[in-house]
């Protein structure tokens, strides 16, 4: 089965998405997600200008060969742009292979290892009243596990907390990428954050009880010793995980954090290859791999990481914000269902315009996700709907400290 066309589709229904559609001479098409939040056009160009010409005429069934060819023949290895572009090709080819086999993709990955995929949702609030309301809202929507993010006294805009909660299903929808000409500036004060967060978890535990799994995202802002202190101070509240407590590029930092706390640690949403995890997994410095299929070279790339992690009892906790498109989310769900070392899956509902562009077969029932039983990924794109929402420039925010210094966001 030969590849006859590969089209890069950039659309902005509720936010920007880059999608690769590969077509074969047997008329089967496959979709891959190439969305890199805030840098979408870099991946679109990488695909359009450098990868698409290499795909035409290739055997669509040779997925691992395509992966190795794109990884090694570029000479310049790794990096988010390259690995996201490779992911788009890899996932589109898996979609094609599974459609050709007449099976949902998870069957080709070894079949289901579980009945459904435990998902966590994002609760947030500017104060405890709003936060409790948001937690209840998520529980009513079926989430059994909840990420807790909250404002910090003295800081105006904090990661994970909408500054103006909206109405209806968007009530607690935090979407960091703003479709504006310049990045939005947020502010940060680590000392104020460290003083405030333990009291929030104490209040949440006493309101919602001991059993609900609670998660928290530190979003890369602490030094190792600050992160160690936070992990220690949160131990009484039994977190499912503390995520991205230090900037992710320094693997050694987690060694110090680990020596001081038993709070489980998750990291890796900005990683893109197994080499980013080498020390973390081998020395068991983390408990959960936070990568997405979309940013780690696709199913073939992420599976290499997860198989390595499995040998060290490190589990998956795949990245699933709205900047992973429905195509990328479906790929994650098929992988989640098949692997043995599944931990949890992040899940945010996509907006209604996104659901017009991408028709999804996933289900979310009683806290569990399932990718559905359609052959392939189970996602189809409506090209006319995608064209009706052209790309819009968008940036993630950035942080400044009180004295004006740029800080990790
Ligand atoms: O593109 C950046 C977002 O995906 C990121 O800020 C979301 O940290 C995030 C999370 O845990 O979902
Ligand atoms: Mg995160």
């Amino acid at each position: 089965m030969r590849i006859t066309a590969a089209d890069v589709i950039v659309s902005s229904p509720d936010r920007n998405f880059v999608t690769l559609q590969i077509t074969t001479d047997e008329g089967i098409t496959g979709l891959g997600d190439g969305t890199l939040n805030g840098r979408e056009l870099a991946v679109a160009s990488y695909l359009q200008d450098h990868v698409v010409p290499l795909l035409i005429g290739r055997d669509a069934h040779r997925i691992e060969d395509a992966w190795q060819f794109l990884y090694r023949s570029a000479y310049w290895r790794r990096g988010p742009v390259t690995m996201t572009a490779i992911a788009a090709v890899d996932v589109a080819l898996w979609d094609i292979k599974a459609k050709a086999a007449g099976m949902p993709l998870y069957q080709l990955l070894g079949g289901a290892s579980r009945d459904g995929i435990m998902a966590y949702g994002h609760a947030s609030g500017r104060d405890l009243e709003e936060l409790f309301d948001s937690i209840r809202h998520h529980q009513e929507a079926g989430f059994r596990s909840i990420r807790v993010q909250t404002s910090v006294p003295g800081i105006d805009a904090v990661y994970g907390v909408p500054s103006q909660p909206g109405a209806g299903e968007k009530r607690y929808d935090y979407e960091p990428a703003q479709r504006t000409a310049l990045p939005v500036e947020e502010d940060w004060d680590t000392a104020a954050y460290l003083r405030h967060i333990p009291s929030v978890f104490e209040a949440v535990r006493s309101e919602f009880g001991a059993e609900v799994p609670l998660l928290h995202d530190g979003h890369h802002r602490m030094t190792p010793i600050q992160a160690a202190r936070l992990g220690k101070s949160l131990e009484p509240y039994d977190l499912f995980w503390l995520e991205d407590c230090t900037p992710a590029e320094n693997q050694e930092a987690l060694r110090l954090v680990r020596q001081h706390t038993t709070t489980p640690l998750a990291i890796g949403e900005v990683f893109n290859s197994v080499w980013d995890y080498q020390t973390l997994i081998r020395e068991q410095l983390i408990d959960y791999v936070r990568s997405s299929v979309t940013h780690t070279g696709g199913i073939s790339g992420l599976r290499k990481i997860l198989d390595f992690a499995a040998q060290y009892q490190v589990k998956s906790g795949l990245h699933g914000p709205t900047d992973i498109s429905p195509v990328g989310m479906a790929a994650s769900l098929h992988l989640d269902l098949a692997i043995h070392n599944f931990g949890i899956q992040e899940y945010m509902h996509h907006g209604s315009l996104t659901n017009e562009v991408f028709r999804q077969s996933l289900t979310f029932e009683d806290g569990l996700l399932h990718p559905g039983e359609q052959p392939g990924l189970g996602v189809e794109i409506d090209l006319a709907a995608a064209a009706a929402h052209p790309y819009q420039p968008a940036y993630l925010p950035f942080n400044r400290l009180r004295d004006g210094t740029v800080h990790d966001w």
Side-chain angles (χ1 to χ4, degrees):
M1 183 166 45
R2 298 281 154 190
I3 296 172
T4 53
D7 298 294
V8 181
I9 302 147
V10 182
S11 65
S12 192
D14 298 291
R15 56 167 359 281
N16 289 317
F17 294 114
V18 176
T19 310
L20 180 70
Q21 179 170 261
I22 294 182
T23 305
T24 65
D25 56 4
E26 293 183 18
I28 300 179
T29 59
L31 296 175
D33 179 20
T35 307
L36 186 62
N37 203 3
R39 294 293 185 271
E40 295 87 358
L41 297 185
V43 182
S45 163
Y46 192 109
L47 284 167
Q48 187 66 58
D49 299 324
H50 304 292
V51 173
V52 167
L54 306 176
L55 296 178
I56 309 303
R58 291 184 71 86
D59 181 351
H61 274 306
R62 295 180 61 176
I63 301 176
E64 182 65 18
D65 183 67
W67 196 96
Q68 298 293 347
F69 170 71
L70 291 174
Y71 184 75
R72 291 169 202 284
S73 71
Y75 184 66
W76 309 106
R77 294 183 186 189
R78 306 158 63 188
V81 175
T82 297
M83 298 310 284
T84 303
I86 293 176
V89 176
D90 182 79
V91 170
L93 294 180
W94 277 109
D95 192 19
I96 288 169
K97 190 184 276 293
K99 282 180 181 169
M103 290 181 182
L105 175 55
Y106 73 83
Q107 294 289 10
L108 299 194
L109 302 175
S113 289
R114 57 198 49 79
D115 300 329
I117 297 156
M118 172 65 74
Y120 74 88
H122 289 193
S124 64
R126 289 169 299 174
D127 52 29
L128 284 181
E129 193 187 333
E130 245 178 52
L131 177 61
F132 288 2
D133 186 43
S134 175
I135 293 173
R136 281 191 202 100
H137 172 79
H138 280 83
Q139 288 179 323
E140 282 157 20
F143 285 102
R144 296 182 203 161
S145 308
I146 310 277
R147 187 183 90 161
V148 171
Q149 304 295 132
T150 174
S151 293
V152 174
I155 306 181
D156 289 336
V158 175
Y159 166 79
V161 184
S163 47
Q164 284 284 313
E169 66 167 27
K170 292 204 157 202
R171 193 157 34 144
Y172 295 108
D173 187 18
Y174 174 75
E175 172 53 78
Q178 300 297 316
R179 293 188 283 191
T180 49
L182 291 171
V184 170
E185 183 176 320
E186 296 188 346
D187 48 350
W188 185 247
D189 178 342
T190 308
Y193 166 78
L194 291 175
R195 281 193 302 272
H196 184 61
I197 291 296
S199 68
V200 171
F201 276 90
E202 184 177 18
V204 171
R205 274 286 174 233
S206 71
E207 180 73 13
F208 293 92
E211 282 172 25
V212 52
L214 298 176
L215 304 85
H216 179 67
D217 190 346
H219 225 257
H220 322 277
R221 284 146 200 228
M222 287 165 273
T223 64
I225 202 69
Q226 290 168 337
R229 173 179 152 197
L230 181 65
K232 231 170 144 171
S233 63
L234 292 177
E235 279 170 23
Y237 314 115
D238 188 25
L239 264 59
F240 185 95
W241 79 34
L242 172 61
E243 173 186 347
D244 287 344
C245 59
T246 52
E249 56 267 44
N250 181 7
Q251 296 186 45
E252 266 83 27
L254 274 295
R255 206 179 278 138
L256 189 142
V257 182
R258 195 64 148 179
Q259 281 161 1
H260 286 89
T261 181
T262 56
T263 293
L265 302 173
I267 204 162
E269 66 185 42
V270 301
F271 290 174
N272 44 71
S273 96
V274 70
W275 300 104
D276 297 319
Y277 283 103
Q278 193 180 16
T279 304
L280 294 175
I281 291 176
R282 213 185 41 221
E283 296 188 25
Q284 293 171 263
L285 302 181
I286 56 168
D287 302 280
Y288 296 94
V289 163
R290 278 290 288 143
S291 290
S292 64
V293 166
T294 301
H295 301 137
T296 51
I299 287 171
S300 304
L302 186 51
R303 182 130 207 189
K304 290 170 177 55
I305 297 171
L306 293 172
D307 285 345
F308 175 43
Q311 313 316 312
Y312 296 88
Q313 293 173 286
V314 176
K315 295 186 175 188
S316 71
L318 303 190
H319 195 209
T322 45
D323 48 284
I324 303 297
S325 88
V327 175
M329 180 56 68
S332 294
L333 298 187
H334 285 280
L335 197 52
D336 285 334
L337 203 57
I339 57 173
H340 179 251
N341 56 329
F342 170 77
I344 202 165
Q345 171 68 51
E346 181 181 25
Y347 179 51
M348 293 173 80
H349 294 278
H350 283 107
S352 49
L353 291 178
T354 301
N355 290 326
E356 283 172 23
V357 172
F358 299 96
R359 283 190 301 274
Q360 310 183 54
S361 66
L362 72 78
T363 55
F364 179 56
E365 277 163 26
D366 201 19
L368 300 180
L369 287 159
H370 194 285
E373 298 296 342
Q374 282 181 26
L377 286 170
V379 182
E380 294 302 327
I381 191 165
D382 181 329
L383 294 175
H389 302 288
Y391 169 79
Q392 293 181 39
Y395 285 98
L396 285 163
F398 75 107
N399 268 334
R400 282 194 194 277
L401 304 179
R402 287 187 199 286
D403 70 354
T405 308
V406 172
H407 190 67
D408 302 295
W409 180 78

